[in-house]
Protein backbone atom coordinates (compact mmCIF):
# COMPACT_ATOMS: atom_id res chain seq x y z
CA UNK A 1 0.00 0.00 0.00
CA UNK A 2 2.78 2.43 1.03
CA UNK A 3 4.50 2.19 -2.33
CA UNK A 4 1.15 2.45 -4.16
CA UNK A 5 0.51 5.77 -2.41
CA UNK A 6 3.97 7.02 -3.31
CA UNK A 7 3.50 5.96 -6.92
CA UNK A 8 0.14 7.71 -7.06
CA UNK A 9 1.67 10.93 -5.66
CA UNK A 10 4.56 10.81 -8.11
CA UNK A 11 2.27 10.07 -11.01
CA UNK A 12 0.11 13.10 -10.20
CA UNK A 13 3.02 15.45 -9.56
CA UNK A 14 4.84 14.39 -12.72
CA UNK A 15 1.71 14.58 -14.88
CA UNK A 16 1.98 18.30 -15.52
CA UNK A 17 4.79 20.81 -15.48
CA UNK A 18 4.70 23.44 -12.78
CA UNK A 19 1.16 22.75 -11.52
CA UNK A 20 0.36 22.49 -7.85
CA UNK A 21 -1.76 19.67 -6.43
CA UNK A 22 -3.54 20.13 -3.13
CA UNK A 23 -3.10 17.57 -0.38
CA UNK A 24 -6.80 16.74 -0.76
CA UNK A 25 -6.48 16.10 -4.50
CA UNK A 26 -3.51 13.80 -3.92
CA UNK A 27 -5.33 12.04 -1.09
CA UNK A 28 -8.46 11.48 -3.23
CA UNK A 29 -6.37 10.10 -6.05
CA UNK A 30 -4.38 7.78 -3.79
CA UNK A 31 -7.38 6.77 -1.65
CA UNK A 32 -5.80 7.75 1.65
CA UNK A 33 -5.84 10.58 4.22
CA UNK A 34 -4.13 13.96 3.84
CA UNK A 35 -1.92 13.05 6.80
CA UNK A 36 -0.73 9.97 4.91
CA UNK A 37 0.04 12.16 1.89
CA UNK A 38 2.07 14.51 4.06
CA UNK A 39 4.08 11.59 5.49
CA UNK A 40 4.76 10.17 2.03
CA UNK A 41 5.82 13.56 0.70
CA UNK A 42 8.38 13.72 3.52
CA UNK A 43 9.53 10.24 2.60
CA UNK A 44 9.86 11.14 -1.06
CA UNK A 45 11.91 14.20 -0.14
CA UNK A 46 14.31 12.06 1.81
CA UNK A 47 14.64 9.83 -1.29
CA UNK A 48 15.82 12.79 -3.31
CA UNK A 49 12.61 14.19 -4.79
CA UNK A 50 12.52 17.97 -4.58
CA UNK A 51 8.89 18.75 -3.74
CA UNK A 52 7.85 22.29 -3.00
CA UNK A 53 4.86 22.91 -0.74
CA UNK A 54 3.01 26.24 -0.62
CA UNK A 55 0.13 27.32 1.55
CA UNK A 56 -3.21 27.43 -0.28
CA UNK A 57 -1.63 25.97 -3.42
CA UNK A 58 -0.36 22.54 -2.49
CA UNK A 59 2.55 20.48 -3.72
CA UNK A 60 4.68 20.76 -6.83
CA UNK A 61 7.51 18.60 -8.13
CA UNK A 62 10.64 20.61 -8.85
CA UNK A 63 12.88 17.76 -9.83
CA UNK A 64 14.86 14.92 -8.47
CA UNK A 65 18.39 14.74 -7.18
CA UNK A 66 20.36 12.01 -8.80
CA UNK A 67 20.82 9.90 -5.74
CA UNK A 68 20.77 6.14 -6.11
CA UNK A 69 19.37 4.05 -3.31
CA UNK A 70 17.04 1.08 -2.91
CA UNK A 71 14.08 3.35 -2.31
CA UNK A 72 14.32 5.49 -5.40
CA UNK A 73 15.10 2.45 -7.52
CA UNK A 74 11.91 0.79 -6.33
CA UNK A 75 9.50 3.76 -6.33
CA UNK A 76 8.08 3.96 -9.83
CA UNK A 77 9.56 0.61 -10.93
CA UNK A 78 7.05 -0.98 -13.31
CA UNK A 79 8.42 -4.51 -13.58
CA UNK A 80 6.99 -7.69 -12.09
CA UNK A 81 10.26 -9.50 -11.45
CA UNK A 82 13.37 -7.70 -12.66
CA UNK A 83 14.88 -5.44 -10.01
CA UNK A 84 12.22 -6.34 -7.44
CA UNK A 85 14.99 -7.70 -5.27
CA UNK A 86 17.70 -5.06 -5.27
CA UNK A 87 21.00 -4.84 -3.48
CA UNK A 88 22.36 -1.31 -3.54
CA UNK A 89 25.93 -0.75 -2.37
CA UNK A 90 28.01 2.40 -2.08
CA UNK A 91 31.32 0.93 -3.13
CA UNK A 92 32.21 -2.54 -4.38
CA UNK A 93 35.02 -4.26 -6.25
CA UNK A 94 32.62 -5.34 -8.98
CA UNK A 95 28.85 -5.84 -9.01
CA UNK A 96 29.51 -8.94 -11.19
CA UNK A 97 31.44 -10.54 -8.38
CA UNK A 98 28.63 -9.97 -5.89
CA UNK A 99 25.96 -11.15 -8.32
CA UNK A 100 27.94 -14.38 -8.90
CA UNK A 101 28.03 -14.97 -5.16
CA UNK A 102 24.31 -14.26 -4.76
CA UNK A 103 23.57 -16.61 -7.67
CA UNK A 104 25.21 -19.44 -5.75
CA UNK A 105 23.22 -18.49 -2.66
CA UNK A 106 19.87 -19.05 -4.43
CA UNK A 107 19.02 -15.38 -5.01
CA UNK A 108 15.82 -15.15 -7.09
CA UNK A 109 15.65 -14.38 -10.80
CA UNK A 110 15.63 -10.63 -11.37
CA UNK A 111 17.95 -9.79 -8.46
CA UNK A 112 19.79 -6.57 -9.22
CA UNK A 113 23.14 -5.58 -7.72
CA UNK A 114 23.93 -1.92 -8.25
CA UNK A 115 26.65 0.31 -6.86
CA UNK A 116 27.61 3.97 -6.76
CA UNK A 117 31.23 3.02 -7.41
CA UNK A 118 33.26 -0.02 -8.49
CA UNK A 119 36.91 -0.09 -7.61
CA UNK A 120 37.74 -3.11 -9.83
CA UNK A 121 35.00 -2.95 -12.43
CA UNK A 122 35.67 -5.45 -15.16
CA UNK A 123 35.00 -5.57 -18.87
CA UNK A 124 35.27 -8.16 -21.62
CA UNK A 125 38.55 -9.88 -22.40
CA UNK A 126 39.90 -9.27 -18.86
CA UNK A 127 39.90 -5.49 -19.30
CA UNK A 128 39.03 -3.11 -16.50
CA UNK A 129 35.95 -0.91 -16.52
CA UNK A 130 36.29 2.60 -15.15
CA UNK A 131 33.37 3.07 -12.70
CA UNK A 132 33.78 6.32 -10.74
CA UNK A 133 31.51 7.33 -7.89
CA UNK A 134 28.11 8.86 -8.48
CA UNK A 135 28.14 9.41 -12.22
CA UNK A 136 27.27 6.19 -13.98
CA UNK A 137 25.13 3.09 -13.77
CA UNK A 138 27.13 0.06 -12.67
CA UNK A 139 24.82 -2.89 -12.27
CA UNK A 140 24.51 -6.65 -12.64
CA UNK A 141 21.23 -8.44 -13.19
CA UNK A 142 20.71 -12.09 -12.33
CA UNK A 143 18.52 -14.25 -14.58
CA UNK A 144 17.86 -17.95 -14.38
CA UNK A 145 16.62 -18.98 -17.83
CA UNK A 146 16.05 -22.65 -18.39
CA UNK A 147 18.28 -22.87 -21.47
CA UNK A 148 21.49 -24.49 -22.69
CA UNK A 149 24.68 -22.42 -22.23
CA UNK A 150 25.08 -21.78 -26.01
CA UNK A 151 22.14 -19.39 -25.76
CA UNK A 152 23.91 -17.07 -23.32
CA UNK A 153 25.37 -14.66 -25.94
CA UNK A 154 21.84 -13.83 -27.08
CA UNK A 155 21.28 -12.13 -23.75
CA UNK A 156 23.98 -9.57 -24.50
CA UNK A 157 21.97 -8.62 -27.58
CA UNK A 158 18.67 -8.56 -25.69
CA UNK A 159 20.25 -6.26 -23.08
CA UNK A 160 21.69 -4.04 -25.83
CA UNK A 161 18.25 -3.50 -27.37
CA UNK A 162 16.71 -2.82 -23.92
CA UNK A 163 19.38 -0.21 -23.12
CA UNK A 164 19.29 1.50 -26.54
CA UNK A 165 15.53 1.96 -26.26
CA UNK A 166 15.72 3.16 -22.64
CA UNK A 167 18.29 5.82 -23.62
CA UNK A 168 16.15 6.88 -26.57
CA UNK A 169 13.12 7.18 -24.33
CA UNK A 170 14.67 8.85 -21.29
CA UNK A 171 17.39 10.97 -22.93
CA UNK A 172 16.21 11.37 -26.52
CA UNK A 173 19.59 10.16 -27.82
CA UNK A 174 20.20 7.72 -30.67
CA UNK A 175 22.54 4.89 -29.80
CA UNK A 176 24.25 2.44 -32.19
CA UNK A 177 25.10 -1.14 -31.32
CA UNK A 178 28.55 -2.43 -32.20
CA UNK A 179 28.53 -6.22 -32.02
CA UNK A 180 28.60 -7.83 -29.58
CA UNK A 181 28.38 -5.59 -26.56
CA UNK A 182 29.30 -1.97 -27.20
CA UNK A 183 26.79 0.84 -27.39
CA UNK A 184 28.06 3.93 -29.15
CA UNK A 185 26.95 7.52 -29.57
CA UNK A 186 28.67 9.41 -32.38
CA UNK A 187 31.19 6.58 -32.59
CA UNK A 188 32.19 6.73 -28.90
CA UNK A 189 31.42 4.10 -26.31
CA UNK A 190 28.69 4.99 -23.84
CA UNK A 191 27.86 1.51 -22.54
CA UNK A 192 29.45 -1.91 -22.20
CA UNK A 193 27.68 -5.18 -21.47
CA UNK A 194 29.31 -8.22 -19.93
CA UNK A 195 27.27 -11.43 -19.87
CA UNK A 196 28.66 -14.20 -17.68
CA UNK A 197 27.18 -17.48 -16.63
CA UNK A 198 27.24 -20.35 -14.21
CA UNK A 199 26.27 -23.49 -16.08
CA UNK A 200 26.95 -27.15 -16.74
CA UNK A 201 27.22 -28.55 -20.25
CA UNK A 202 23.44 -28.88 -20.59
CA UNK A 203 21.90 -26.04 -18.66
CA UNK A 204 22.40 -22.48 -17.50
CA UNK A 205 22.14 -22.18 -13.71
CA UNK A 206 22.47 -18.43 -13.65
CA UNK A 207 23.18 -15.71 -16.10
CA UNK A 208 24.63 -12.42 -14.95
CA UNK A 209 24.24 -9.44 -17.23
CA UNK A 210 26.64 -6.68 -16.21
CA UNK A 211 25.84 -3.26 -17.59
CA UNK A 212 28.07 -0.21 -17.35
CA UNK A 213 26.51 3.04 -18.58
CA UNK A 214 28.28 6.39 -18.60
CA UNK A 215 25.56 8.83 -17.59
CA UNK A 216 26.54 12.14 -16.02
CA UNK A 217 30.32 12.28 -16.55
CA UNK A 218 31.90 15.35 -18.13
CA UNK A 219 34.79 14.91 -20.57
CA UNK A 220 37.27 15.78 -17.76
CA UNK A 221 35.98 12.84 -15.72
CA UNK A 222 37.50 10.42 -18.24
CA UNK A 223 41.19 9.66 -18.06
CA UNK A 224 43.39 10.72 -20.99
CA UNK A 225 43.58 7.20 -22.39
CA UNK A 226 39.79 6.78 -22.75
CA UNK A 227 38.63 10.37 -23.38
CA UNK A 228 38.94 9.91 -27.15
CA UNK A 229 36.93 6.70 -27.26
CA UNK A 230 34.39 7.08 -24.46
CA UNK A 231 31.43 9.37 -23.97
CA UNK A 232 28.50 9.86 -21.58
CA UNK A 233 24.83 10.73 -21.97
CA UNK A 234 25.61 14.11 -20.40
CA UNK A 235 28.42 14.89 -22.86
CA UNK A 236 26.17 14.04 -25.79
CA UNK A 237 23.18 16.09 -24.67
CA UNK A 238 24.44 18.68 -22.20
CA UNK A 239 21.76 17.46 -19.80
CA UNK A 240 21.96 15.68 -16.46
CA UNK A 241 19.88 12.56 -16.05
CA UNK A 242 18.29 10.64 -13.21
CA UNK A 243 20.15 7.35 -13.13
CA UNK A 244 17.33 5.63 -11.23
CA UNK A 245 14.87 6.59 -14.00
CA UNK A 246 17.14 5.09 -16.66
CA UNK A 247 17.66 1.91 -14.62
CA UNK A 248 13.89 1.50 -14.25
CA UNK A 249 13.34 1.93 -17.98
CA UNK A 250 16.07 -0.60 -18.82
CA UNK A 251 14.53 -3.13 -16.44
CA UNK A 252 11.06 -2.63 -17.97
CA UNK A 253 12.43 -3.09 -21.47
CA UNK A 254 14.46 -6.11 -20.48
CA UNK A 255 11.47 -7.73 -18.84
CA UNK A 256 9.39 -7.12 -21.97
CA UNK A 257 12.03 -8.52 -24.36
CA UNK A 258 12.90 -11.43 -22.06
CA UNK A 259 9.22 -12.44 -22.15
CA UNK A 260 9.14 -12.12 -25.97
CA UNK A 261 12.29 -14.24 -26.19
CA UNK A 262 10.93 -16.99 -23.95
CA UNK A 263 7.64 -17.08 -25.89
CA UNK A 264 8.76 -16.54 -29.48
CA UNK A 265 12.50 -17.22 -29.50
CA UNK A 266 15.34 -14.97 -30.64
CA UNK A 267 14.03 -14.08 -34.12
CA UNK A 268 11.91 -11.02 -33.14
CA UNK A 269 14.73 -9.64 -30.96
CA UNK A 270 17.23 -10.18 -33.76
CA UNK A 271 15.11 -8.08 -36.10
CA UNK A 272 15.04 -5.17 -33.64
CA UNK A 273 18.76 -5.58 -32.86
CA UNK A 274 19.64 -5.34 -36.57
CA UNK A 275 17.87 -1.97 -36.80
CA UNK A 276 20.32 -0.48 -34.30
CA UNK A 277 23.46 -2.39 -35.31
CA UNK A 278 26.26 -0.56 -37.11
CA UNK A 279 28.50 -3.60 -37.53
CA UNK A 280 26.37 -5.36 -40.14
CA UNK A 281 26.69 -4.80 -43.91
CA UNK A 282 30.24 -3.41 -43.64
CA UNK A 283 33.85 -4.42 -44.23
CA UNK A 284 35.30 -5.05 -40.78
CA UNK A 285 38.28 -6.53 -38.99
CA UNK A 286 37.52 -8.99 -36.19
CA UNK A 287 40.32 -9.51 -33.67
CA UNK A 288 39.82 -12.63 -31.58
CA UNK A 289 42.22 -13.75 -28.84
CA UNK A 290 44.44 -15.59 -31.33
CA UNK A 291 43.70 -14.33 -34.85
CA UNK A 292 42.54 -11.46 -37.00
CA UNK A 293 40.00 -11.89 -39.80
CA UNK A 294 39.04 -9.21 -42.32
CA UNK A 295 35.84 -9.45 -44.26
CA UNK A 296 32.24 -8.47 -44.79
CA UNK A 297 29.90 -8.70 -41.79
CA UNK A 298 26.84 -10.26 -43.38
CA UNK A 299 24.66 -10.61 -40.26
CA UNK A 300 24.25 -12.57 -37.07
CA UNK A 301 23.02 -16.12 -36.66
CA UNK A 302 19.97 -17.05 -34.64
CA UNK A 303 22.34 -17.63 -31.73
CA UNK A 304 23.66 -14.07 -31.93
CA UNK A 305 26.97 -15.12 -33.48
CA UNK A 306 28.55 -12.78 -36.07
CA UNK A 307 28.87 -14.04 -39.67
CA UNK A 308 31.94 -12.77 -41.48
CA UNK A 309 32.68 -13.55 -45.15
CA UNK A 310 36.39 -13.25 -45.98
CA UNK A 311 37.89 -12.40 -49.40
CA UNK A 312 37.92 -16.05 -50.45
CA UNK A 313 34.16 -16.25 -49.83
CA UNK A 314 34.52 -18.41 -46.74
CA UNK A 315 32.05 -17.64 -43.92
CA UNK A 316 33.53 -17.45 -40.43
CA UNK A 317 31.40 -17.61 -37.29
CA UNK A 318 32.76 -15.15 -34.74
CA UNK A 319 31.78 -15.83 -31.14
CA UNK A 320 33.83 -13.14 -29.45
CA UNK A 321 36.11 -10.46 -30.88
CA UNK A 322 36.99 -6.80 -31.00
CA UNK A 323 35.58 -5.22 -34.13
CA UNK A 324 37.12 -2.43 -36.14
C1 LIG B 1 32.82 -4.20 -21.74
O1 LIG B 1 32.47 -3.33 -22.55
O2 LIG B 1 33.93 -4.71 -21.81
C2 LIG B 1 31.85 -4.63 -20.68
C3 LIG B 1 31.80 -3.68 -19.51
C4 LIG B 1 30.84 -4.11 -18.43
C5 LIG B 1 30.91 -3.22 -17.21
C6 LIG B 1 29.86 -3.56 -16.19
S1 LIG B 1 29.71 -2.34 -14.94
C7 LIG B 1 28.70 -3.38 -14.00
C8 LIG B 1 29.27 -4.77 -14.11
N1 LIG B 1 30.31 -4.96 -13.12
C9 LIG B 1 31.51 -5.11 -13.67
O3 LIG B 1 32.57 -5.28 -13.05
N2 LIG B 1 31.41 -5.05 -15.01
C10 LIG B 1 30.04 -4.86 -15.44
Amino acid sequence: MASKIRESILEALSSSDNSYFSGQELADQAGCSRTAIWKHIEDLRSSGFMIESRRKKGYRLLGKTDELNENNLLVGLKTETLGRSVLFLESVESTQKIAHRLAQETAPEGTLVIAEEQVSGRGRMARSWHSPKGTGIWMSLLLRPSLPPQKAPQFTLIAAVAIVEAIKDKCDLDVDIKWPNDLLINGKKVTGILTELQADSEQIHSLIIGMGINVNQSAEDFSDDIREIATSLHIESDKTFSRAGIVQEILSNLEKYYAVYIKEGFEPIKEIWEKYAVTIGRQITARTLNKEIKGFASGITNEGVLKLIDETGETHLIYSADIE
Side-chain angles (χ1 to χ4, degrees), residues 213-263:
I213 303 164
N214 298 326
V215 181
N216 290 326
Q217 290 100 323
S218 310
E220 305 77 61
D221 294 326
F222 290 113
S223 56
D224 292 347
D225 52 328
I226 55 173
R227 193 168 303 136
E228 291 306 308
I229 52 169
T231 191
S232 74
L233 302 175
H234 170 71
I235 293 172
E236 297 300 325
S237 62
D238 215 17
K239 291 185 191 145
T240 302
F241 297 101
S242 148
R243 288 172 296 156
I246 297 172
V247 171
Q248 291 177 342
E249 195 66 21
I250 293 172
L251 293 174
S252 290
N253 292 347
L254 254 170
E255 188 163 282
K256 175 179 79 186
Y257 287 125
Y258 186 28
V260 169
Y261 172 79
I262 295 298
K263 200 160 163 242

Side-chain angles (χ1 to χ4, degrees), residues 1 4-5 8-9 12 21-38 59:
M1 178 69 180
K4 285 266 172 298
I5 297 176
S8 162
I9 296 173
F21 289 80
S22 71
Q24 192 58 56
E25 280 171 317
L26 294 175
D28 290 345
Q29 197 155 323
C32 65
S33 67
R34 280 170 55 188
T35 316
I37 293 291
W38 178 80
Y59 299 100

Side-chain angles (χ1 to χ4, degrees), residues 60-77:
R60 180 166 75 139
L61 183 63
L62 297 177
K64 190 170 182 292
T65 55
D66 185 39
E67 199 191 323
L68 273 186
N69 56 43
E70 278 167 27
N71 206 16
N72 66 24
L73 286 164
L74 286 171
V75 173
L77 181 65

Side-chain angles (χ1 to χ4, degrees), residues 36-100:
I37 293 291
W38 178 80
K39 281 196 189 127
H40 283 287
I41 295 271
E42 286 307 297
D43 219 36
L44 284 166
R45 283 182 175 142
S46 62
S47 305
F49 290 92
M50 292 179 287
I51 300 173
E52 181 194 23
S53 53
R54 293 189 74 171
R55 275 189 62 230
K56 299 209 171 117
K57 284 190 155 178
Y59 299 100
R60 180 166 75 139
L61 183 63
L62 297 177
K64 190 170 182 292
T65 55
D66 185 39
E67 199 191 323
L68 273 186
N69 56 43
E70 278 167 27
N71 206 16
N72 66 24
L73 286 164
L74 286 171
V75 173
L77 181 65
K78 297 198 178 74
T79 57
E80 298 250 312
T81 324
L82 304 194
R84 286 283 152 200
S85 161
V86 53
L87 177 59
F88 168 77
L89 297 154
E90 281 296 333
S91 181
V92 289
E93 274 182 41
S94 157
T95 55
Q96 287 296 97
K97 208 169 158 184
I98 294 178
H100 272 287

Side-chain angles (χ1 to χ4, degrees), residues 258-271:
Y258 186 28
V260 169
Y261 172 79
I262 295 298
K263 200 160 163 242
E264 299 170 43
F266 188 58
E267 195 71 37
I269 314 282
K270 186 179 153 203
E271 274 171 29

